Amino acid sequence: MRAVKAVLPVAGLGTRFLPATKAVPKEMLPVVDKPAIQYVVEEAARAGLEDILMITGRGKGAIENHFDRAPFLEDALERKGDGARLDAVRAATNLADVHFLRQGDPRGLGHAVLRARQHVGQEPFAVMLGDDLIDAQEHLLERMLDEQAARDATIVALMEVDPEHIHLYGIADAEPTADADVVRIHGLVEKPAREYAPSNLAVIGRYVLKPEIFDVLEKTAPGRGNEIQLTDALQVLASDEAVAGPVYGVVFRGLRYDTGDRLDYLKAVVRLACGREDLGPDFRRWLGEFTASLQ
Ligand code: G1P
Protein backbone atom coordinates (compact mmCIF):
# COMPACT_ATOMS: atom_id res chain seq x y z
CA MET A 1 0.00 0.00 0.00
CA ARG A 2 1.31 3.45 -0.94
CA ALA A 3 1.31 5.98 1.91
CA VAL A 4 -1.48 8.58 1.90
CA LYS A 5 -0.74 10.44 5.12
CA ALA A 6 1.97 12.91 6.05
CA VAL A 7 3.09 14.02 9.49
CA LEU A 8 4.61 17.50 9.79
CA PRO A 9 6.28 18.30 13.12
CA VAL A 10 5.83 22.05 13.67
CA ALA A 11 6.21 22.45 17.42
CA GLY A 12 9.78 23.85 17.34
CA LEU A 13 10.39 27.21 19.01
CA GLY A 14 12.26 28.80 16.10
CA THR A 15 14.84 30.37 18.40
CA ARG A 16 17.24 30.99 15.53
CA PHE A 17 14.84 33.60 14.16
CA LEU A 18 14.13 35.56 17.32
CA PRO A 19 12.77 38.17 17.68
CA ALA A 20 10.76 37.51 14.46
CA THR A 21 9.43 34.29 15.98
CA LYS A 22 8.48 35.72 19.35
CA ALA A 23 4.79 35.92 18.37
CA VAL A 24 4.85 34.35 14.87
CA PRO A 25 5.58 30.64 14.28
CA LYS A 26 8.75 30.14 12.25
CA GLU A 27 6.72 28.02 9.83
CA MET A 28 4.72 31.16 8.97
CA LEU A 29 7.71 33.27 7.94
CA PRO A 30 7.19 34.25 4.31
CA VAL A 31 9.34 32.74 1.60
CA VAL A 32 8.66 35.33 -1.11
CA ASP A 33 4.89 35.63 -0.56
CA LYS A 34 3.84 32.31 0.96
CA PRO A 35 4.54 30.98 4.44
CA ALA A 36 7.28 28.34 4.44
CA ILE A 37 4.89 25.65 5.67
CA GLN A 38 2.61 26.09 2.64
CA TYR A 39 5.39 24.94 0.30
CA VAL A 40 5.64 21.71 2.31
CA VAL A 41 1.88 21.10 2.23
CA GLU A 42 1.88 21.80 -1.52
CA GLU A 43 4.68 19.25 -1.98
CA ALA A 44 2.71 16.67 0.00
CA ALA A 45 -0.47 17.30 -1.99
CA ARG A 46 1.41 17.05 -5.31
CA ALA A 47 2.66 13.61 -4.23
CA GLY A 48 -0.90 12.52 -3.40
CA LEU A 49 -0.67 12.95 0.38
CA GLU A 50 -3.85 14.81 1.21
CA ASP A 51 -4.19 13.75 4.84
CA ILE A 52 -1.79 15.87 6.82
CA LEU A 53 -1.23 15.82 10.56
CA MET A 54 0.70 18.70 12.05
CA ILE A 55 2.26 18.07 15.45
CA THR A 56 1.98 21.49 16.93
CA GLY A 57 2.42 23.39 20.18
CA ARG A 58 1.69 26.57 22.07
CA GLY A 59 1.79 29.75 19.98
CA LYS A 60 1.29 27.98 16.67
CA GLY A 61 -2.33 29.06 16.14
CA ALA A 62 -1.46 31.12 13.05
CA ILE A 63 -0.70 27.87 11.21
CA GLU A 64 -4.22 26.59 11.93
CA ASN A 65 -5.73 29.86 10.75
CA HIS A 66 -3.68 29.77 7.57
CA PHE A 67 -5.10 26.42 6.47
CA ASP A 68 -8.66 27.32 7.48
CA ARG A 69 -11.22 29.39 5.55
CA ALA A 70 -11.11 33.16 6.20
CA PRO A 71 -14.74 34.26 5.61
CA PHE A 72 -14.31 38.01 6.29
CA LEU A 73 -11.21 38.30 4.17
CA GLU A 74 -12.73 36.21 1.38
CA ASP A 75 -15.93 38.34 1.42
CA ALA A 76 -13.91 41.55 1.26
CA LEU A 77 -11.87 40.32 -1.70
CA GLU A 78 -15.02 39.06 -3.42
CA ARG A 79 -16.71 42.48 -3.03
CA LYS A 80 -13.62 44.14 -4.52
CA GLY A 81 -13.65 41.71 -7.42
CA ASP A 82 -10.05 40.73 -6.61
CA GLY A 83 -10.25 37.20 -8.00
CA ALA A 84 -6.51 36.56 -8.10
CA ARG A 85 -5.99 37.29 -4.42
CA LEU A 86 -9.16 35.42 -3.51
CA ASP A 87 -7.76 32.36 -5.29
CA ALA A 88 -4.45 32.77 -3.47
CA VAL A 89 -6.22 32.95 -0.10
CA ARG A 90 -8.38 29.93 -0.83
CA ALA A 91 -5.54 27.83 -2.26
CA ALA A 92 -4.08 27.03 1.16
CA THR A 93 -7.44 25.72 2.38
CA ASN A 94 -8.09 23.47 -0.57
CA LEU A 95 -4.71 21.74 -0.69
CA ALA A 96 -5.31 18.98 1.81
CA ASP A 97 -7.16 17.87 4.92
CA VAL A 98 -4.99 19.33 7.63
CA HIS A 99 -5.29 17.99 11.18
CA PHE A 100 -3.58 19.32 14.28
CA LEU A 101 -2.37 17.59 17.42
CA ARG A 102 -0.38 19.18 20.20
CA GLN A 103 2.92 17.55 21.01
CA GLY A 104 2.63 18.31 24.72
CA ASP A 105 6.06 17.85 26.24
CA PRO A 106 8.77 19.06 23.82
CA ARG A 107 10.80 15.85 23.89
CA GLY A 108 12.27 15.89 20.40
CA LEU A 109 11.53 14.91 16.81
CA GLY A 110 11.12 11.21 17.63
CA HIS A 111 8.57 12.06 20.29
CA ALA A 112 6.68 14.36 17.88
CA VAL A 113 6.45 11.50 15.36
CA LEU A 114 5.32 9.08 18.07
CA ARG A 115 2.42 11.42 18.85
CA ALA A 116 1.06 10.66 15.35
CA ARG A 117 0.59 6.97 16.14
CA GLN A 118 -3.18 6.95 16.56
CA HIS A 119 -3.85 9.13 13.52
CA VAL A 120 -1.55 7.08 11.28
CA GLY A 121 -2.69 3.61 12.33
CA GLN A 122 -1.21 0.57 10.59
CA GLU A 123 -0.10 2.28 7.38
CA PRO A 124 3.12 3.60 5.93
CA PHE A 125 3.33 7.40 6.20
CA ALA A 126 5.57 10.31 5.30
CA VAL A 127 7.32 12.65 7.72
CA MET A 128 8.21 16.06 6.31
CA LEU A 129 10.29 18.67 8.12
CA GLY A 130 9.45 22.29 7.41
CA ASP A 131 13.03 23.62 7.33
CA ASP A 132 13.71 21.76 4.10
CA LEU A 133 11.95 22.99 0.99
CA ILE A 134 12.20 20.87 -2.15
CA ASP A 135 11.77 22.70 -5.45
CA ALA A 136 8.30 22.27 -6.94
CA GLN A 137 9.74 20.79 -10.16
CA GLU A 138 11.39 17.89 -8.28
CA HIS A 139 9.77 14.52 -7.61
CA LEU A 140 11.67 13.37 -4.55
CA LEU A 141 8.69 12.53 -2.39
CA GLU A 142 6.89 10.63 -5.18
CA ARG A 143 10.09 8.64 -5.76
CA MET A 144 10.34 7.81 -2.05
CA LEU A 145 6.67 6.78 -1.85
CA ASP A 146 7.09 4.49 -4.87
CA GLU A 147 10.25 2.91 -3.42
CA GLN A 148 8.55 2.40 -0.08
CA ALA A 149 5.61 0.61 -1.67
CA ALA A 150 7.76 -1.46 -4.05
CA ARG A 151 10.31 -2.57 -1.44
CA ASP A 152 8.07 -2.57 1.65
CA ALA A 153 10.96 -0.73 3.30
CA THR A 154 11.66 2.36 5.35
CA ILE A 155 12.91 5.17 3.12
CA VAL A 156 14.85 8.32 4.02
CA ALA A 157 15.96 11.15 1.74
CA LEU A 158 19.73 11.70 1.62
CA MET A 159 21.89 14.39 0.16
CA GLU A 160 25.67 14.70 -0.07
CA VAL A 161 26.87 17.55 2.12
CA ASP A 162 30.21 19.33 2.55
CA PRO A 163 32.26 17.84 5.40
CA GLU A 164 31.94 21.05 7.43
CA HIS A 165 28.14 20.62 7.54
CA ILE A 166 28.12 16.98 8.67
CA HIS A 167 27.59 17.88 12.34
CA LEU A 168 24.20 19.45 11.47
CA TYR A 169 22.56 16.25 10.16
CA GLY A 170 21.75 12.62 10.69
CA ILE A 171 24.42 10.78 8.66
CA ALA A 172 24.01 7.40 6.93
CA ASP A 173 26.32 4.41 6.67
CA ALA A 174 25.23 3.17 3.26
CA GLU A 175 26.18 1.00 0.30
CA PRO A 176 25.11 1.30 -3.35
CA THR A 177 22.31 -0.75 -4.91
CA ALA A 178 21.56 -1.52 -8.54
CA ASP A 179 19.61 1.75 -8.69
CA ALA A 180 21.88 4.76 -9.10
CA ASP A 181 19.88 6.93 -6.70
CA VAL A 182 19.10 4.30 -4.06
CA VAL A 183 21.43 3.13 -1.28
CA ARG A 184 20.97 0.45 1.36
CA ILE A 185 21.41 1.92 4.84
CA HIS A 186 23.11 -0.15 7.56
CA GLY A 187 23.46 2.56 10.18
CA LEU A 188 22.53 6.14 11.03
CA VAL A 189 24.06 8.53 13.50
CA GLU A 190 22.61 11.83 14.65
CA LYS A 191 24.87 14.85 14.13
CA PRO A 192 28.27 13.17 14.47
CA ALA A 193 31.53 15.07 14.59
CA ARG A 194 33.01 15.07 11.10
CA GLU A 195 35.82 12.67 12.04
CA TYR A 196 33.36 10.01 13.28
CA ALA A 197 30.86 10.30 10.43
CA PRO A 198 30.35 7.11 8.37
CA SER A 199 29.88 9.16 5.15
CA ASN A 200 28.84 12.58 3.92
CA LEU A 201 25.31 11.38 3.09
CA ALA A 202 23.00 13.51 5.23
CA VAL A 203 19.37 12.86 6.05
CA ILE A 204 17.28 15.72 4.70
CA GLY A 205 13.83 16.27 6.13
CA ARG A 206 11.81 13.67 4.18
CA TYR A 207 11.07 10.17 5.43
CA VAL A 208 8.59 7.46 4.43
CA LEU A 209 8.17 5.24 7.47
CA LYS A 210 6.43 2.01 8.36
CA PRO A 211 4.10 1.85 11.37
CA GLU A 212 6.59 -0.45 13.15
CA ILE A 213 8.61 2.70 13.85
CA PHE A 214 6.15 3.58 16.63
CA ASP A 215 7.04 0.54 18.75
CA VAL A 216 10.70 1.40 18.33
CA LEU A 217 10.14 5.04 19.24
CA GLU A 218 8.29 3.96 22.38
CA LYS A 219 11.47 2.26 23.53
CA THR A 220 13.95 4.87 22.30
CA ALA A 221 15.74 6.60 25.16
CA PRO A 222 16.60 10.29 24.93
CA GLY A 223 19.75 10.74 22.86
CA ARG A 224 21.56 13.77 21.53
CA GLY A 225 20.42 16.97 23.26
CA ASN A 226 18.49 14.79 25.73
CA GLU A 227 15.76 14.48 23.06
CA ILE A 228 14.10 11.37 21.61
CA GLN A 229 15.73 11.25 18.21
CA LEU A 230 14.01 9.86 15.10
CA THR A 231 17.50 9.03 13.82
CA ASP A 232 18.12 6.74 16.82
CA ALA A 233 14.91 4.80 16.11
CA LEU A 234 15.89 4.51 12.44
CA GLN A 235 19.31 3.22 13.52
CA VAL A 236 17.53 0.34 15.30
CA LEU A 237 15.73 -0.55 12.05
CA ALA A 238 18.85 -0.13 9.91
CA SER A 239 20.99 -2.38 12.11
CA ASP A 240 18.43 -5.22 12.32
CA GLU A 241 16.30 -6.01 9.31
CA ALA A 242 14.18 -8.37 11.44
CA VAL A 243 12.56 -5.41 13.22
CA ALA A 244 10.74 -3.86 10.25
CA GLY A 245 12.52 -4.80 7.03
CA PRO A 246 15.33 -2.90 5.35
CA VAL A 247 16.08 0.83 5.32
CA TYR A 248 16.95 2.52 2.04
CA GLY A 249 18.01 6.03 1.16
CA VAL A 250 16.96 7.90 -1.95
CA VAL A 251 19.89 10.14 -2.84
CA PHE A 252 18.57 13.51 -3.93
CA ARG A 253 20.64 15.61 -6.30
CA GLY A 254 18.04 18.26 -7.13
CA LEU A 255 17.10 21.67 -5.80
CA ARG A 256 16.61 21.97 -2.06
CA TYR A 257 16.24 25.16 -0.08
CA ASP A 258 17.13 25.25 3.58
CA THR A 259 15.10 27.75 5.59
CA GLY A 260 16.42 26.57 8.96
CA ASP A 261 18.76 29.45 9.75
CA ARG A 262 18.88 33.09 8.78
CA LEU A 263 21.56 32.95 6.10
CA ASP A 264 20.07 29.91 4.36
CA TYR A 265 16.62 31.45 4.65
CA LEU A 266 17.81 34.62 2.88
CA LYS A 267 19.37 32.51 0.12
CA ALA A 268 16.13 30.52 -0.26
CA VAL A 269 14.06 33.69 -0.62
CA VAL A 270 16.43 35.12 -3.25
CA ARG A 271 16.65 31.89 -5.25
CA LEU A 272 12.90 31.31 -5.24
CA ALA A 273 12.14 34.94 -6.07
CA CYS A 274 14.53 34.74 -9.05
CA GLY A 275 12.61 31.75 -10.39
CA ARG A 276 9.18 33.33 -10.15
CA GLU A 277 7.43 34.20 -13.39
CA ASP A 278 5.81 37.33 -11.99
CA LEU A 279 8.58 38.80 -9.82
CA GLY A 280 11.62 37.04 -11.28
CA PRO A 281 12.49 39.21 -14.31
CA ASP A 282 12.42 42.51 -12.38
CA PHE A 283 14.06 41.01 -9.32
CA ARG A 284 16.88 39.40 -11.31
CA ARG A 285 17.59 42.68 -13.11
CA TRP A 286 17.75 44.56 -9.83
CA LEU A 287 19.83 41.81 -8.19
CA GLY A 288 22.37 41.96 -11.03
CA GLU A 289 22.74 45.72 -10.61
CA PHE A 290 22.89 45.42 -6.84
CA THR A 291 25.59 42.73 -6.81
CA ALA A 292 27.61 44.72 -9.38
CA SER A 293 27.43 47.71 -7.03
CA LEU A 294 28.99 45.55 -4.28
CA GLN A 295 32.18 44.88 -6.27
C1 G1P B 1 16.61 16.96 12.05
C2 G1P B 1 17.07 15.50 12.22
C3 G1P B 1 18.37 15.25 11.45
C4 G1P B 1 18.17 15.64 10.00
C5 G1P B 1 17.68 17.10 9.89
C6 G1P B 1 17.33 17.44 8.46
O1 G1P B 1 17.53 17.79 12.71
O2 G1P B 1 17.24 15.22 13.60
O3 G1P B 1 18.73 13.90 11.54
O4 G1P B 1 19.38 15.46 9.28
O5 G1P B 1 16.53 17.31 10.69
O6 G1P B 1 17.03 18.79 8.29
P1 G1P B 1 17.21 19.36 13.00
O7 G1P B 1 17.59 20.10 11.75
O8 G1P B 1 15.75 19.46 13.29
O9 G1P B 1 18.07 19.74 14.16
Side-chain angles (χ1 to χ4, degrees), residues 194-208:
R194 174 176 168 168
E195 53 272 33
Y196 299 113
S199 74
N200 68 337
L201 284 171
V203 177
I204 54 172
R206 300 292 179 273
Y207 309 78
V208 186

Side-chain angles (χ1 to χ4, degrees), residues 109 129 132 169-170 190-191 203-205 207 229 231:
L109 177 59
L129 306 187
D132 287 298
Y169 294 96
E190 179 68 2
K191 298 183 180 150
V203 177
I204 54 172
Y207 309 78
Q229 295 290 348
T231 303

Side-chain angles (χ1 to χ4, degrees), residues 211-277:
E212 287 88 341
I213 192 82
F214 295 124
D215 277 341
V216 180
L217 282 168
E218 288 269 11
K219 292 185 217 124
T220 301
R224 213 190 142 81
N226 202 29
E227 295 189 338
I228 298 173
Q229 295 290 348
L230 180 58
T231 303
D232 293 346
L234 290 168
Q235 156 64 16
V236 172
L237 304 188
S239 62
D240 183 0
E241 198 180 319
V243 179
V247 180
Y248 289 93
V250 169
V251 182
F252 182 60
R253 300 189 174 88
L255 279 174
R256 159 182 174 258
Y257 312 97
D258 188 348
T259 60
D261 70 33
R262 292 172 302 170
L263 186 61
D264 287 327
Y265 170 81
L266 290 172
K267 291 179 193 169
V269 172
V270 169
R271 284 168 63 191
L272 279 160
C274 284
R276 284 275 295 255
E277 267 176 33

